[in-house]
Amino acid sequence: MGFLRKYFGIIVVLVLSFWAIKPLFVPGFFPMHDDTQVARVFEMGKMLQSGMFPVRWVPDLGYGYGYPIFNFYAPLAYYVGGFFTLLGFDALIATKIMMLVGIILAGIFMYLLAREFWGELGGIVSSLFYIYAPYHALDIYVRGDVAEVWAYGLIPLMFFGFYKLYQQLSIKNDLPPIISNFKFQISNFYVWKWVVVGSLGYAGVILSHNLTAMMVTPFITIVILLYCFIAYRNKKLFIIYCLVFTILLGLMLSAFYWIPALLEMKYTNVLSQIGGGADFRNHFICLGQLWDSQWGFGGSAQGCIDGLSFKIGKLHILLALAAFLFGANQFLKKKSEGTLIIGFSVLGLLVSVFLMLEISKPVWEAIPAMAFFQYPWRFLLLVSFFSSLACGSLVFFLTKFKVKPYFTAAVLVFFVLFFNTKLFAPQTIYQKTVADYTNERALKWVASRTSDEFLPPDFKKPKSEHEIAENPIPFEETNIQKVANLISLLGIVIMTVGIIKLIRR
């Protein structure tokens, strides 16, 4: 009984996430926009088995010449998938497990974050709204964007780590507010624990999906700057040092990936992905599509009629609005941490919505790096995060009107399951085996044609499958990659030494 009581929320989230992952248990596989997932997992497992780490190069993609895909395309999810192939699972099953784990992590980490503000039941509500957000279903069963699915799951962990770190550092009677004690603070068990969680969360988002990391970094920066401002006013400068150290540690842990990806991108054809059919100017969405748009399995097009849906979810919109009204009413009576979280969530939601509409075009044109996002509707990921976090607050606020929290939570969970579980289904199931995705033609021709943007700019693509290479080009790490590896290794050493010291104490 003690175990059930302690882990009640997580158990409920795991059980009720069943409908989100149910199609992954069906034999065969389903079509998706990025239909290279099994091939990538297979190649990752193959290179891990050969002893390469970190994996940057795969031998069969790139039309048989070899291809540095994991030097540029965020690799974390594929390390997980590749690990399961080492355990004996075939690449198709490993791909399903990889996707399943990403979905489950979204629910668990959102629960942990939202529970801090809304209590256990509010955490469950936010978690299930996050799992069953329409954009989450779109990413999994329409787009097949596994990297973004994993980033979606790790965003709450990142915010959770930084919040808990700041909370621990702010305990007046535990941590004396003087700079000379910084060494003591960072060696304190609870402080170091959350330094590790925050840095792993941030590094995890970077390693899961670089575009999501670009998208979410301004928001976490705002949070940290706010924490630093409060710390500065209270003359607790060690808090600033700890927060900055956590960010730097996260960057160090992920440096083996992001440093080469940035510095060596000029040697690839990735800039060809900007403009043309993926020009952001052609993919702004109409306001009405956020309220309701027909569910489909097609592509994004210019105008208000697309082949796939960009709806936020009516429940998410209405409940986020209700949370804002309750929060504003509570704020007028008494400022509290809960009302500030609601304010931050609604502000983040509105900014994200703004960036999806054509009215934000001047912002996109003023910041050249935003062109890499290609599709403004990618910000639905953050809309889903902020709206789901806000939805759980209704359990918290309605208790002030003497509404039973279990009743509120049960009603909200019922409605999100009733209306949104139907979205978590593929268009169809193909009775394919792993061999259909990992035979020589599938790897060297089909998968290579789907994703070849990281080949050299002057590479002449084969015109037929008869022109593919028989043997891959040998791979050697560059000096940039070696330096990046050393930086990440240093980050791992720092984190490991700290953990060992804590265990010995």
Side-chain angles (χ1 to χ4, degrees):
M1 290 298 293
F3 177 85
L4 292 177
R5 188 179 298 108
K6 183 177 180 180
Y7 297 103
F8 172 75
I10 291 179
I11 293 171
V12 170
V13 169
L14 290 176
V15 171
L16 295 183
S17 65
F18 170 74
W19 291 276
I21 61 177
K22 181 181 176 182
L24 298 176
F25 293 97
V26 177
F29 207 40
F30 48 88
M32 57 185 73
H33 291 180
D34 190 359
D35 203 10
T36 62
Q37 303 304 321
V38 180
R40 291 173 180 173
V41 169
F42 176 80
E43 293 291 294
M44 173 63 81
K46 184 175 182 178
M47 298 314 294
L48 287 174
Q49 191 171 27
S50 73
M52 178 183 285
F53 191 85
V55 176
R56 302 183 184 280
W57 185 270
V58 296
D60 298 312
L61 301 182
Y63 302 100
Y65 289 94
Y67 189 34
I69 183 169
F70 295 119
N71 195 55
F72 301 100
Y73 195 85
L76 182 59
Y78 301 101
Y79 278 118
V80 174
F83 171 76
F84 279 102
T85 66
L86 297 184
L87 294 180
F89 295 93
D90 67 47
L92 177 56
I93 300 299
T95 300
K96 292 183 176 184
I97 296 174
M98 171 183 72
M99 297 175 74
L100 182 151
V101 172
I103 297 167
I104 294 299
L105 289 181
I108 292 175
F109 292 147
M110 176 56 89
Y111 163 75
L112 294 175
L113 175 64
R115 183 182 61 175
E116 292 295 315
F117 313 116
W118 322 130
E120 186 170 59
L121 294 176
I124 292 172
V125 170
S126 286
S127 173
L128 292 171
F129 269 77
Y130 195 49
I131 288 177
Y132 288 103
Y135 187 70
H136 201 201
L138 187 79
D139 256 356
I140 301 164
Y141 294 113
V142 179
R143 298 181 63 219
D145 194 339
V146 174
E148 194 168 283
V149 168
W150 267 72
Y152 185 95
L154 291 170
I155 287 173
L157 177 66
M158 179 186 67
F159 280 101
F160 176 63
F162 281 101
Y163 170 74
K164 293 294 289 184
L165 174 61
Y166 176 76
Q167 183 187 54
Q168 187 64 44
L169 290 168
S170 299
I171 299 176
K172 295 180 180 179
N173 297 327
D174 187 24
L175 304 177
I178 53 178
I179 303 176
S180 60
N181 283 326
F182 172 68
K183 184 176 180 181
F184 166 75
Q185 310 299 347
I186 205 68
S187 64
N188 177 278
F189 175 80
Y190 293 104
V191 172
W192 184 255
K193 172 183 176 181
W194 298 118
V195 165
V196 170
V197 172
S199 60
L200 286 177
Y202 188 49
V205 173
I206 295 172
L207 294 174
S208 293
H209 195 235
N210 46 6
L211 294 182
T212 299
M214 289 172 57
M215 189 185 302
V216 78
T217 293
F219 291 93
I220 196 64
T221 301
I222 291 172
V223 170
I224 292 174
L225 288 176
L226 179 61
Y227 285 160
C228 290
F229 174 72
I230 297 172
Y232 181 79
R233 290 191 61 182
N234 294 332
K235 298 182 180 180
K236 294 186 176 183
L237 299 185
F238 69 88
I239 294 180
I240 299 176
Y241 295 135
C242 287
L243 291 170
V244 172
F245 175 75
T246 305
I247 284 286
L248 291 177
L249 184 57
L251 290 172
M252 290 177 69
L253 293 172
S254 57
F256 75 91
Y257 163 68
W258 66 264
I259 290 179
L262 287 177
L263 298 183
E264 297 180 342
M265 183 174 61
K266 60 186 176 182
Y267 302 119
T268 72
N269 200 33
V270 70
L271 293 179
S272 67
Q273 301 300 300
I274 300 175
D279 191 329
F280 67 84
R281 297 172 183 83
N282 299 325
H283 296 282
F284 288 109
I285 62 178
C286 301
L287 190 60
Q289 289 179 284
L290 297 175
W291 175 254
D292 192 25
S293 50
Q294 186 174 358
W295 196 259
F297 295 85
S300 176
Q302 190 172 8
C304 298
I305 301 177
D306 294 87
L308 65 170
S309 176
F310 300 127
K311 60 184 177 182
I312 297 173
K314 294 176 182 177
L315 275 176
H316 286 73
I317 294 174
L318 294 175
L319 295 181
L321 176 61
F324 172 72
L325 294 176
F326 280 121
N329 178 65
Q330 184 69 19
F331 181 81
L332 294 175
K333 295 179 179 179
K334 180 183 178 181
K335 293 182 181 180
S336 66
E337 188 174 59
T339 59
L340 294 177
I341 296 301
I342 289 296
F344 174 69
S345 298
V346 172
L347 179 62
L349 191 156
L350 292 176
V351 170
S352 300
V353 167
F354 168 75
L355 291 172
M356 291 189 288
L357 305 177
E358 193 164 11
I359 192 175
S360 68
K361 185 177 177 181
V363 176
W364 286 78
E365 293 178 336
I367 306 175
M370 291 188 71
F372 285 98
F373 290 133
Q374 300 174 308
Y375 308 105
W377 44 258
R378 285 184 188 272
F379 279 87
L380 276 168
L381 182 149
L382 289 181
V383 169
S384 300
F385 170 75
F386 288 121
S387 61
S388 299
L389 180 60
C391 287
S393 69
L394 292 177
V395 177
F396 172 80
F397 287 124
L398 287 177
T399 56
K400 300 181 181 300
F401 295 89
K402 298 183 179 180
V403 180
K404 298 294 184 181
Y406 279 96
F407 175 77
T408 303
V411 169
L412 295 179
V413 168
F414 170 79
F415 278 113
V416 76
L417 294 177
F418 181 80
F419 288 110
N420 287 12
T421 53
K422 62 185 177 183
L423 303 178
F424 287 76
Q427 185 177 18
T428 187
I429 296 289
Y430 293 146
Q431 296 305 314
K432 291 187 175 183
T433 66
V434 66
D436 293 309
Y437 295 98
T438 58
N439 63 67
E440 185 175 20
R441 179 179 182 275
L443 293 172
K444 294 184 177 182
W445 181 245
V446 179
S448 294
R449 292 180 68 195
T450 303
S451 178
D452 59 11
E453 65 271 23
F454 300 121
L455 288 166
D458 57 351
F459 178 81
K460 294 183 179 180
K461 300 178 184 179
K463 296 180 180 180
S464 73
E465 58 187 283
H466 302 292
E467 299 177 14
I468 59 178
E470 293 184 4
N471 299 306
I473 298 173
F475 170 74
E476 292 184 7
E477 279 198 324
T478 65
N479 290 331
I480 290 175
Q481 293 166 8
K482 291 176 182 178
V483 171
N485 290 346
L486 289 175
I487 294 174
S488 287
L489 182 60
L490 178 59
I492 293 171
V493 169
I494 292 172
M495 185 176 67
T496 304
V497 169
I499 293 174
I500 291 174
K501 285 185 176 181
L502 294 176
I503 292 173
R504 286 182 176 177
R505 287 187 180 185

